[in-house]
Amino acid sequence: MMSAMRSWTQPWRIGLMLAALVLLGGCTEMFGNPPGGGDTAQATSPVDTPTGQDAEDAVIGQREHPRIIATYGGIYSDRPAEIMLAHIVGRLLTAAGQPNTQYTITVLDTADVNAFALPGGYIYVTRGILALANDTSEIAAVLAHEIAHVVLHHARARSNKQRTDQLVDKVMTGVFGQANDAAAQQQSRLSMAAFSQQQELEADQKGIEIASGAGYDPFAASRFLAAMGRFSKFSYGDAAQADDFLSSHPSTPDRIQKATALAQSMPAGGERDRKAYMDAIDGLAFGASPQQGTIIGQRYIQPALKFTFTVPDGYKLQTGQGAVVGIAGDSEAVRFDSAEVPQSLSLTDYLKSGWIAGLDPNSVNEATVNGMDTATGTAKTDQWSFRVSVARFQGEVVRFIFAAKSDSARFEQGAEATLASFRPTTPADLSQIRKVSVKIITARAGDTAASLALRMASMSRGIDLFYVLNNLLPGDPVVAGQQYKIITVN
């Protein structure tokens, strides 16, 4: 059964292994962005054609928007959430004095708890951050913070300092032999939101002013920063934070205190509207996206493109952008991805075309596996041995690249068995995929935080997760008739 929590495997560890896979050609994203990915939500009013610096900002945003979507695994389609976000942003824009400005709001299909903005009015929130918020004022605080960055021209200043296309291109190259794509992707994600500490504090202040002016609870910003701190500690412990909102928007007790102090100077009694928010996120996907593939033990199942394969015992798999990677100890690694190869080019010629360093051309052999044309070969560099297999599937060429510090019969057998396991999915395979989602429940008389937390007791660390997601502590009372979040696995 798929875990309800995302696997927080450290990508740099995999990078140490996969950096050995020295390839000269990039990979396509065969399963990184499955079809039917949904639409972005827009908060719009009649606008004039942008000119000057505004026009340049628009060009930057339009150019980088699809790359951002690809980096974060695609667009998450959830109409109730999109309508809610567009309504909130419309109010915030009016309060910010920009009622005629167009903003594009995109929900990204990732469990990362993050939000950020690009020049040209592009604002992004992840479904991970939607799952953590508990009312409209908290998500309004996040959106107002990002709008503030744009209003204060922080995104423009950052773009001038380090062009966004250079950042994202590092993610999209997919070229081995440098840092692996998972590590580069993480670094790019952090860079996308890397404002200075002073800019963050300025955006905090401006964002709280905007949210309060729009009629939302001004204390939501400090409340949600604290909640994100709890979630970060739950997810990563005391180790360095991964690529989330807090690592790119540094949160400190001093920052929370400043936000609280500013809120105290704002009009009291702002909107929180917990019920409307809970209704909008009921059924929200939680954790890793099944559309990017599901890992069940040693098996990877891709439901969108309907294929599956199994790696040998000892390998720990992890999905990445456009690839599945795995490691076995400190001496073996595997990567699965796809590439566009002309049908007129034989798989043997493709293997010999120069993208594999150290390939032994005499080792290349073709075969038919599970009705598919395949080719395999071996390669060797100073420190690594490789076994590379390619197969034609659905008009693409899929690739298995195994790397080991030393070759062996066991290593060879594992690579061969993995290729032999690659096949189209069956209904039985797809039935193993579990849907993990947010479910909204209503507290009854006599319920407590502890009794509601028991609804998640069957999950690993589920009780602790319940408290974090609802920003509760074990002894806290709950309000009869009020809605709370649990995570379900179906």
Side-chain angles (χ1 to χ4, degrees):
M1 178 179 293
M2 184 175 69
S3 170
M5 283 301 297
R6 172 185 171 182
S7 173
W8 298 106
T9 303
Q10 296 174 338
W12 52 86
R13 186 181 178 203
I14 294 177
L16 295 176
M17 299 293 299
L18 296 186
L21 307 182
V22 184
L23 309 180
L24 302 180
C27 66
T28 61
E29 295 174 5
M30 180 178 180
F31 52 91
N33 294 294
D39 300 315
T40 56
Q42 293 188 337
T44 64
S45 297
V47 294
D48 297 327
T49 303
T51 59
Q53 185 65 63
D54 289 340
E56 182 180 343
D57 286 353
V59 170
I60 293 172
Q62 291 168 5
R63 182 184 65 225
E64 303 308 331
H65 178 64
R67 301 187 186 188
I68 300 301
I69 291 171
T71 299
Y72 277 85
I75 297 172
Y76 180 71
S77 180
D78 186 313
R79 202 60 186 161
E82 292 164 4
I83 292 171
M84 173 194 65
L85 291 172
H87 175 70
I88 292 173
V89 169
R91 287 174 57 176
L92 295 174
L93 290 176
T94 299
Q98 297 195 16
N100 295 326
T101 301
Q102 176 173 313
Y103 279 74
T104 300
I105 315 300
T106 302
V107 181
L108 297 167
D109 190 12
T110 174
D112 294 347
V113 175
N114 215 337
F116 52 91
L118 286 179
Y122 288 84
I123 296 178
Y124 306 85
V125 296
T126 64
R127 57 177 172 78
I129 211 167
L130 293 179
L132 188 58
N134 280 287
D135 58 46
T136 57
S137 70
E138 290 182 354
I139 205 65
V142 172
L143 293 166
H145 178 96
E146 299 307 328
I147 289 173
H149 276 307
V150 179
V151 169
L152 296 170
H153 304 302
H154 291 166
R156 180 183 300 174
R158 180 185 59 196
S159 179
N160 291 337
K161 182 178 179 182
Q162 186 172 20
R163 303 301 290 180
T164 310
D165 59 333
Q166 294 174 349
L167 289 172
V168 183
D169 282 345
K170 293 179 181 179
V171 179
M172 305 308 294
T173 53
V175 178
F176 296 97
Q178 305 171 23
N180 76 297
D181 62 343
Q185 180 181 2
Q186 182 196 41
Q187 182 58 44
S188 181
R189 289 182 179 186
L190 295 177
S191 299
M192 288 172 194
F195 294 110
S196 71
Q197 180 75 9
Q198 182 59 39
Q199 287 174 326
E200 290 299 346
L201 293 174
E202 291 173 356
D204 282 348
Q205 178 174 341
K206 185 67 174 179
I208 293 170
E209 292 172 355
I210 291 171
S212 178
Y216 293 103
D217 176 19
F219 289 94
S222 56
R223 188 170 64 246
F224 194 51
L225 281 170
M228 287 191 292
R230 289 184 64 191
F231 184 77
S232 181
K233 186 173 183 179
F234 170 86
S235 300
Y236 319 125
D238 294 326
Q241 296 165 352
D243 48 332
D244 67 356
F245 188 91
L246 290 183
S247 59
S248 56
H249 300 66
S251 178
T252 63
D254 178 64
R255 183 181 175 195
I256 295 174
Q257 289 173 6
K258 283 183 170 62
T260 302
L262 180 59
Q264 290 171 342
S265 68
M266 300 290 171
E271 175 189 313
R272 296 178 65 168
D273 205 345
R274 181 185 182 93
K275 185 180 187 307
Y277 187 79
M278 293 295 187
D279 289 344
I281 67 166
D282 193 15
L284 183 79
F286 188 81
S289 172
Q291 293 304 309
Q292 297 172 20
T294 296
I295 295 170
I296 305 175
Q298 307 307 112
R299 291 190 63 199
Y300 174 77
I301 304 174
Q302 222 307 326
L305 297 176
K306 295 183 172 55
F307 65 78
T308 184
F309 62 84
T310 304
V311 297
D313 291 340
Y315 279 86
K316 184 174 183 179
L317 291 175
Q318 173 182 324
T319 56
Q321 182 57 38
V324 180
V325 295
I327 57 172
D330 295 323
S331 60
E332 292 185 17
V334 61
R335 174 185 174 103
F336 170 85
D337 63 16
S338 65
E340 294 182 0
V341 178
Q343 288 290 332
S344 59
L345 184 66
S346 72
L347 293 178
T348 293
D349 289 340
Y350 173 61
L351 282 180
K352 295 179 179 180
S353 63
W355 60 277
I356 308 172
L359 176 72
D360 176 5
N362 295 321
S363 69
V364 178
N365 292 295
E366 290 191 354
T368 300
V369 176
N370 296 326
M372 295 173 288
D373 294 334
T374 71
T376 61
T378 62
K380 190 171 181 61
T381 60
D382 291 343
Q383 299 181 359
W384 297 90
S385 295
F386 302 93
R387 293 194 172 271
V388 183
S389 299
V390 295
R392 292 195 186 275
F393 180 78
Q394 293 186 357
E396 300 280 350
V397 168
V398 298
R399 315 190 293 194
F400 290 96
I401 305 103
F402 280 84
K405 289 185 176 179
S406 60
D407 202 357
S408 67
R410 178 194 57 78
F411 178 63
E412 177 182 4
Q413 291 167 1
E416 291 176 348
T418 300
L419 177 63
S421 73
F422 182 83
R423 59 174 175 77
T425 55
T426 65
D429 296 322
L430 297 176
S431 69
Q432 296 182 51
I433 298 174
R434 298 293 182 258
K435 180 181 179 182
V436 183
S437 58
V438 176
K439 180 179 179 181
I440 304 305
I441 59 173
T442 302
R444 297 172 297 184
D447 280 336
T448 64
S451 67
L452 293 181
L454 289 175
R455 302 278 292 268
M456 291 171 53
S458 62
M459 297 172 52
S460 174
R461 302 177 67 200
I463 291 177
D464 293 336
L465 178 60
F466 171 85
Y467 292 129
V468 171
L469 287 179
N470 291 282
N471 207 11
L472 294 169
L473 295 173
D476 286 347
V478 298
V479 179
Q482 185 165 287
Q483 294 173 309
Y484 296 88
K485 294 174 286 186
I486 63 171
I487 304 303
T488 61
V489 182
N490 299 314

